[in-house]
Amino acid sequence: MQETIDFMIYDRQGPMSNAIKHVLKNTEIRIHRLKKVNAIKNTLQKKASTDFIFIMFVFNEVFEFIDYLELERLGIPIVFAPTNKRCHERLCEIEGIWIMDVSRNKQEYIQQITYFLKILQRN
């Protein structure tokens, strides 16, 4: 990746996005961490010149999954990142969505993030 890339992490509870931001702080990746769907909408309106590659949708509880319906309306690719291994396995059975396994070690999910950034940056 040669240019600065922006991506958004929707993490209602917060610790995963903090860890990712810390690991990627010395890279050309700008991370926008948000905990509310309305905050994402406001960010998109304010930063109209910023091209977000994708929204990493981190969720811990099944009730948080309903926020996906609001995020889908924004027109930005969404990569699901459930912290629950069982939820990850169920989502893998659905065709046509992108899923990241963040239940593993930090090095693996950072590699997955850079993989998605490379794929989606080309499109």
Side-chain angles (χ1 to χ4, degrees), residues 13-100:
Q13 296 184 25
M16 178 64 70
S17 62
N18 288 335
I20 293 168
K21 185 162 184 160
H22 179 72
V23 170
L24 297 175
K25 69 182 174 189
N26 293 324
T27 67
E28 294 297 316
I29 300 170
R30 265 193 306 247
I31 298 171
H32 304 264
R33 300 175 1 231
L34 300 159
K35 294 183 177 189
K36 296 182 179 180
V37 175
N38 285 339
I40 291 175
K41 290 177 184 177
N42 292 338
T43 299
L44 292 174
Q45 289 173 348
K46 290 177 186 174
K47 299 184 182 222
S49 62
T50 304
D51 184 26
F52 290 100
I53 301 293
F54 70 89
I55 297 174
M56 182 177 164
F57 178 41
V58 178
F59 59 100
N60 305 328
E61 305 292 335
V62 175
F63 73 87
E64 291 175 295
F65 189 75
I66 197 72
D67 292 340
Y68 164 73
L69 298 173
E70 289 289 321
L71 295 174
E72 177 66 24
R73 295 179 188 167
L74 301 174
I76 299 173
I78 297 173
V79 176
F80 293 93
T83 58
N84 179 305
K85 187 68 172 169
R86 179 105 169 106
C87 186
H88 175 266
E89 290 168 0
R90 283 191 228 137
L91 284 173
C92 284
E93 296 171 5
I94 301 171
E95 289 187 33
I97 62 172
W98 290 317
I99 306 149
M100 185 182 301

Side-chain angles (χ1 to χ4, degrees), residues 86-119:
R86 179 105 169 106
C87 186
H88 175 266
E89 290 168 0
R90 283 191 228 137
L91 284 173
C92 284
E93 296 171 5
I94 301 171
E95 289 187 33
I97 62 172
W98 290 317
I99 306 149
M100 185 182 301
D101 186 357
V102 294
S103 66
R104 297 182 185 193
N105 69 45
K106 190 182 295 184
Q107 185 176 8
E108 282 189 47
Y109 65 73
I110 294 298
Q111 287 174 344
Q112 290 176 62
I113 289 170
T114 55
Y115 171 76
F116 280 111
L117 288 169
K118 286 177 185 175
I119 287 175

